[in-house]
């Protein structure tokens, strides 16, 4: 075990609950500042939902972006957030975030293994609004060699199998087009061959490929940071209560085989357990009934941090537009029999030849909008349509090029998906309508209008492909509209979509140093929260990719610096 072994018989300066992005960042920063740190994780893996995510970090005005010539200002970013979020609560924390994010990202880059770079082009989700940008605010982790973790590589949560190839090979965003063109382009064929050789060499000694990208790279870099700073880690450890001493949080009680174990925290405890996505009772209380029980979040996010924070006097503030960050999901069983949830983020919905229909066989929203916006439309009840569930449909060309949910691109063996009922197939649209339970006449008319619009390049119903974000999630090789292509190649296919979430937005109220606040607004001494245990600074809105990971990293950093007694990083 390369990470510092946890000794639950000793006291620590700081105890952190949860090993996602916020918890690991806070641990690395606190340890770098000279504090002794215990990181407690209830599951048997490090990385949380970060490890299975896209790994994007929304952080305006960073030095890294300016170095690339991508100019931004706090004022412009605030203008954009105001346009998206309006006067919903959290304005002060949003301002704190905008002012401190560049500092936090720079600190992590200097003092930990975290290495974030701006994407050359990645628009905000509402690029038509004032203050929006087309590039610079979205950072991604540099690829990471998991072999540098040594034994700890097996402790890093694996990515979703559906986002890997050949049983464990991760593919970066920039390499996906090479796989699509590998039979048409010698350059792409060579690139794919090199990736396959590297993967094959990794599999000689490892359980999966070690060339990490996306959220797995960010999680891997954070695990490397724990290792470099000898952070003590306790896996498969449940915290049963916080220790209160004269109104101050002074440690935790951890369930043990021989009874509870008390571990004291001289300076404080940080809650970073991932929110309440897998707590069905809390979902029924805080989410719309139509949202249902499904989540794409990693196991372990069962509201533990929120429950602990409330026992200490914290509360969940009201006023969020939503208490979840939405994503449409489909459900299936993997080959090992395990139930799985597939998040339909950017791989299929906005691609050419894809459209979503409600129970009446008609489109109900712009499929190229953000995943959060798409589910918001699914949950809407004022249209006279029922889009819970809905169906995403395509023809054989789009299925082959882009895949459909858990069915990966260029999948020739579709029989298992068809047999299980996950993938629905029919020789014509009438047959598909019968199988998905919609009116055949309506579906045929819907596809006819979509096809006509695709020919002209103008979506006359919802404006799909009209803005920069739509074009980004489309296919640049398709014209005149990169998001639309007529469905003309039977058989036709469908997958059922239901509402799901990528994390919860409702969390504990905090201040600008991530201190948990009591109901009277005063900070609770010794108690902090970050990540999805902290109420969303975006008030449940979704302005751009990485608006969960960005605040998790930044407020994890701010919590650790406050515990270390520093208001700003040193200059070294």
């Amino acid at each position: 075990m390369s990470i510092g072994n946890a000794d639950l018989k000793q006291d620590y300066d700081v105890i952190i609950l949860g090993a996602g992005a916020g918890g690991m960042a806070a641990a690395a920063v606190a340890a770098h500042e000279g504090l002794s740190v215990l990181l407690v994780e209830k599951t048997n893996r490090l990385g949380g939902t970060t490890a299975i995510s896209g790994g994007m970090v929304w952080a305006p005005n960073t030095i890294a972006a300016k170095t690339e010539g991508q100019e931004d200002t706090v004022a412009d970013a605030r203008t954009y957030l105001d346009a998206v979020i309006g006067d919903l609560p959290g304005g002060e924390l949003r301002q704190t975030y905008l002012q401190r994010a560049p500092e936090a990202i720079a600190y992590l880059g200097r003092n930990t293994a975290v290495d974030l770079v701006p994407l050359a082009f990645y628009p905000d989700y509402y690029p038509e609004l004032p203050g929006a940008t087309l590039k610079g605010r979205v950072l991604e982790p540099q690829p990471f060699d998991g072999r540098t973790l040594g034994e700890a590589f097996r402790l890093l949560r694996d990515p979703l199998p559906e986002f890997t190839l050949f049983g464990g090979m991760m593919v970066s965003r920039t390499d996906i087009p090479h796989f699509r063109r590998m039979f048409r382009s010698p350059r792409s064929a060579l690139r794919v061959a090199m990736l396959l050789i590297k993967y094959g060499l990794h599999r000689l000694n490892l359980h999966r490929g070690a060339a990490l990208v996306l959220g797995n790279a960010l999680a891997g870099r954070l695990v490397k940071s724990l290792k470099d700073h000898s952070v003590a880690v306790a896996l498969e450890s449940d915290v049963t209560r916080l220790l209160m001493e004269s109104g101050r949080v002074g440690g935790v009680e951890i369930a043990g085989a021989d009874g509870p174990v008390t571990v004291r925290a001289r300076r404080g405890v940080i809650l970073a357990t991932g929110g309440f996505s897998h707590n069905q009772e809390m979902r029924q209380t805080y989410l719309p009934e139509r949202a249902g029980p499904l989540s794409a979040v990693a196991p372990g996010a069962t509201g533990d941090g929120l429950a602990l924070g409330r026992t200490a006097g914290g509360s969940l503030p009201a006023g969020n537009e939503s208490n979840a960050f939405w994503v449409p999901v489909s459900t299936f069983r993997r080959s090992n029999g395990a139930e799985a949830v597939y998040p339909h983020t950017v791989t299929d919905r906005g691609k050419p030849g894809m459209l979503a229909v409600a129970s009446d066989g008609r489109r109900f929203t712009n499929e190229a909008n953000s995943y959060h916006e798409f589910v918001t439309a699914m949950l809407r009840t004022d249209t006279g349509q029922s889009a819970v569930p809905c169906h995403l449909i395509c023809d054989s060309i789009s299925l082959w090029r882009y895949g459909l949910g858990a069915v990966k691109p260029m999948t020739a063996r579709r029989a298992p998906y068809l047999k299980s009922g996950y993938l629905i197939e029919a020789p014509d649209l009438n047959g598909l309508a019968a199988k998905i339970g919609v009116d055949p006449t309506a579906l045929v008319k819907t596809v006819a209008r979509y096809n006509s619009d695709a020919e002209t390049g103008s979506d006359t119903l919802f404006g799909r492909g009209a803005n920069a974000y739509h074009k980004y999630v489309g296919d640049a090789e398709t014209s005149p509209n990169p998001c639309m292509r007529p469905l003309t190649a039977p058989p036709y296919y469908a997958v059922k979509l239901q509402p799901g979430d990528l994390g919860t937005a409702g969390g504990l109220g905090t201040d600008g140093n991530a201190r948990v606040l009591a109901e009277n607004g005063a900070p609770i001494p010794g108690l902090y929260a970050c990540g999805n245990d902290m109420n969303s600074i975006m008030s449940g809105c979704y302005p751009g990719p990485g608006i969960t990971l960005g605040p998790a990293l930044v407020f994890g950093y701010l919590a650790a610096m406050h515990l270390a007694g520093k208001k700003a990083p040193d200059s070294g």
Side-chain angles (χ1 to χ4, degrees):
M1 182 86 159
S2 299
I3 297 172
N5 289 317
D7 181 358
L8 300 185
K9 295 182 180 180
Q10 76 174 61
D11 297 341
Y12 293 86
D13 292 322
V14 180
I15 298 175
I16 300 168
L17 312 186
M24 289 197 290
V29 171
H32 180 76
E33 292 299 321
L35 303 181
S36 60
V37 181
L38 171 63
L39 180 63
V40 183
E41 167 60 36
K42 71 180 292 186
T43 73
N44 63 355
R45 292 290 185 270
L46 300 167
T49 301
T50 302
I52 60 174
S53 74
M56 299 292 98
V57 172
W58 194 84
N61 198 34
T62 60
I63 295 173
K66 291 182 182 296
T67 301
E68 296 293 325
Q70 298 172 358
E71 291 299 322
D72 196 8
T73 66
V74 170
D76 285 344
R78 183 58 190 258
T79 296
Y80 175 65
L81 291 184
D82 286 347
V84 175
I85 303 171
D87 59 358
L88 292 174
E92 290 185 8
L93 288 183
R94 288 192 285 277
Q95 187 66 21
T96 296
Y97 178 72
L98 295 178
Q99 291 175 337
R100 303 293 298 272
E103 164 196 318
I105 299 301
Y107 179 100
L108 292 171
R110 289 196 311 271
N111 301 309
T112 76
V114 173
D115 187 2
L116 299 169
V117 295
L119 274 77
F121 182 79
Y122 205 131
D124 289 325
Y125 283 169
Y126 304 94
E128 70 282 1
L129 293 181
T133 63
L134 302 181
K135 58 183 180 179
R137 289 178 183 164
V138 184
L139 313 179
E140 70 173 347
Q142 290 276 43
F144 180 66
D145 188 345
R147 294 173 297 180
T148 63
L149 297 178
E151 296 176 11
F153 181 52
R154 287 191 172 273
L155 300 180
L156 174 64
R157 186 176 300 281
D158 293 342
L160 293 177
E162 294 72 38
F163 288 100
T164 65
L165 298 177
F166 312 113
M169 174 184 175
M170 298 198 74
V171 180
S172 70
R173 287 180 177 83
T174 55
D175 282 326
I176 290 175
H178 288 295
F179 278 86
R180 289 185 189 146
R181 296 192 297 261
M182 64 180 176
F183 298 117
R184 296 181 283 121
S185 164
R187 177 172 173 268
S188 292
L190 178 61
R191 175 62 180 168
V192 170
M194 293 173 61
L195 292 172
L196 291 174
I197 291 170
K198 178 187 289 188
Y199 173 64
L201 293 173
H202 288 177
R203 289 305 300 269
L204 293 176
N205 300 301
L206 301 172
H207 72 290
R208 65 179 175 101
L212 309 185
V213 295
L214 309 176
N216 212 244
L218 177 56
R221 289 182 171 279
L222 286 165
V223 173
K224 180 67 162 55
S225 303
L226 302 182
K227 176 182 173 182
D228 291 344
H229 290 91
S230 299
V231 171
V233 175
L235 295 175
E236 298 182 273
S237 300
D238 281 315
V239 172
T240 53
R241 70 183 182 95
L242 298 175
L243 303 180
M244 301 299 297
E245 301 171 345
S246 302
R248 180 185 181 279
V249 176
V252 301
E253 183 178 271
I254 300 175
D258 299 320
V261 179
T262 296
V263 188
R264 299 193 178 278
R266 286 181 286 267
R267 301 206 183 189
V269 173
I270 302 176
L271 305 173
T273 66
F276 63 88
S277 290
H278 292 300
N279 185 312
Q280 295 306 320
E281 183 178 344
M282 293 188 72
R283 290 181 74 90
Q284 292 173 11
T285 301
Y286 293 105
L287 304 184
E289 181 179 356
R290 286 161 54 85
L294 300 175
S295 176
V297 170
T302 54
D304 297 0
L306 304 185
L308 292 169
R310 292 164 97 175
T311 64
S315 62
L316 279 67
N320 287 341
E321 181 177 88
S322 170
N323 281 322
F325 299 114
W326 301 117
V327 65
V329 299
S330 52
T331 60
F332 62 101
R333 284 190 180 273
R334 296 193 173 110
S335 57
N336 62 4
E339 293 185 357
V341 172
Y342 183 92
H344 293 251
T345 50
V346 297
T347 57
D348 49 23
R349 288 179 298 107
K351 294 296 188 292
M354 301 269 179
L355 66 150
V357 296
S359 62
D360 59 2
R362 296 176 173 85
R363 293 173 67 203
F364 62 93
T365 192
N366 186 327
E367 298 88 348
N369 281 343
S370 76
Y371 33 90
H372 180 82
E373 195 70 34
F374 184 90
V375 174
T376 299
M378 288 179 70
L379 296 173
R380 195 171 292 131
T381 59
D382 60 357
T383 62
Q385 291 176 298
S386 175
V388 178
C390 66
H391 285 85
L392 185 62
I393 68 176
C394 69
D395 66 3
S396 59
I397 292 176
S398 292
L399 179 67
W400 177 257
R401 288 180 182 174
Y402 313 113
L404 189 60
V407 183
K408 296 173 184 176
M410 296 181 285
T411 296
R413 187 170 176 267
R414 300 165 187 166
Y417 301 102
L418 294 168
K419 183 178 180 181
S420 70
Y422 176 76
L423 183 65
I424 303 166
E425 180 188 63
D428 53 42
L429 292 174
N430 284 314
L432 189 68
K435 287 189 174 184
I436 65 175
V438 303
D439 177 65
T441 301
L443 182 62
V444 170
K445 288 183 177 179
T446 294
V447 174
R449 178 170 181 175
Y450 173 92
N451 287 352
S452 176
D453 286 352
E455 292 283 1
T456 64
S458 177
D459 179 7
T460 58
L461 195 57
F462 294 112
R464 178 168 160 180
N467 70 33
Y469 177 70
H470 298 164
K471 292 179 173 65
Y472 178 81
V473 300
D475 183 348
E477 296 182 356
T478 299
S479 62
N481 186 329
C483 297
M484 300 181 75
R485 180 190 62 76
L487 281 72
T488 56
Y492 298 96
Y493 296 90
V495 163
K496 183 171 73 173
L497 301 185
Q498 300 181 72
D501 72 272
L502 290 171
T504 47
L508 297 165
T510 60
D511 68 5
N513 289 307
R515 293 181 294 181
V516 175
L517 301 177
E519 290 191 11
N520 63 5
I524 299 170
L527 187 61
Y528 299 73
C530 64
N532 290 350
D533 281 357
M534 171 184 175
N535 195 58
S536 164
I537 66 169
M538 306 297 177
S539 295
C541 299
Y542 218 125
I547 55 87
T548 53
L549 280 178
L553 293 174
V554 172
F555 283 95
Y557 159 83
L558 293 175
M561 293 299 284
H562 192 266
L563 282 162
K566 296 187 177 181
K567 296 183 179 179
D570 57 35
S571 58

